[in-house]
Amino acid sequence: MAHPPLTPSGFEATFWLLDRALDDNEYLNPRKLHRLLFLAQAYFAVANAGHKLMPATFVADPDGPMEPTLFKAFAYSRPRVDLAKLPERAETLLDSIWRRFGAHSTDHLTKALKRHPPYADAFAAAPGSEITVEAMIAFYGRKPTTREGIGALTDQGAPHIEQVLRPRVMRSQSGRPVNVHQWRPRSLKDQ
């Protein structure tokens, strides 16, 4: 049985990222926005057994990964839409994506993502081809090699999910703060 995406549209994640950038006194240009949305979709799928964060389809545009519906909706200005409240899991993921990748320049994000297999393979098939969630999971969900470096977003690699998602801080029975991560069962091929 297929699971529905966590959010009812891509607008919720888009507005969250735009508002977060404004809170940090930063202008989030459309190209960088789409790179961050792509990474959010990929890492959410990795962390949640292939489920999508948002009902969005990313394509291999010549300029980099892009969600065409959101691109058209924001072409002239911020559209007026009714937004659903973001679930806490979505906010936690988007906050992690912003903290991990938000400081990178648009050019760095674009250059790195265009060399990653999910984009590169889709673009090689035909410009404008869909970048599948399965391809995202296969690349962003794998263990990085030592050659790729630890936690860097480079042309050859990307940080492992544990280096992207911020752990939640909770209290132990003695009152000490402890970091907790969402439990993710390993697939049979990982064993």
Side-chain angles (χ1 to χ4, degrees), residues 24-169:
D24 289 352
N25 293 319
E26 186 176 324
Y27 168 69
L28 185 55
N29 70 61
R31 292 175 63 221
K32 185 172 180 177
L33 171 65
H34 282 267
R35 305 319 175 250
L36 295 174
L37 289 168
F38 173 79
L39 288 166
Q41 184 86 311
Y43 280 108
F44 186 85
V46 168
N48 293 282
H51 302 157
K52 286 181 162 188
L53 170 65
M54 56 195 149
T57 301
F58 287 88
V59 298
D61 184 76
D63 189 46
M66 180 187 69
E67 207 296 326
T69 304
L70 292 171
F71 186 79
K72 286 185 181 242
F74 284 85
Y76 297 105
S77 66
R78 187 173 171 140
R80 290 180 50 128
V81 294
D82 292 329
L83 299 173
K85 180 171 176 15
L86 266 179
E88 183 180 338
R89 283 179 28 211
E91 284 193 24
T92 300
L93 174 90
L94 291 169
D95 184 61
S96 295
I97 294 293
W98 178 255
R99 288 173 182 263
R100 188 72 167 106
F101 303 112
H104 288 296
S105 72
T106 304
D107 289 339
H108 175 77
L109 289 172
T110 299
K111 194 179 298 182
L113 294 178
K114 285 176 81 171
R115 292 203 172 130
H116 291 175
Y119 171 88
D121 294 347
F123 190 79
S129 293
E130 180 178 346
I131 303 168
T132 66
V133 172
E134 292 77 20
M136 292 178 195
I137 293 168
F139 182 73
Y140 295 101
R142 75 194 191 341
K143 297 274 187 212
T145 66
T146 54
R147 197 176 121 252
E148 294 171 350
I150 299 175
L153 183 68
T154 66
D155 295 354
Q156 293 86 31
H160 187 264
I161 187 76
E162 298 296 335
Q163 297 167 321
V164 174
L165 292 183
R166 269 188 34 219
R168 288 181 54 197
V169 177

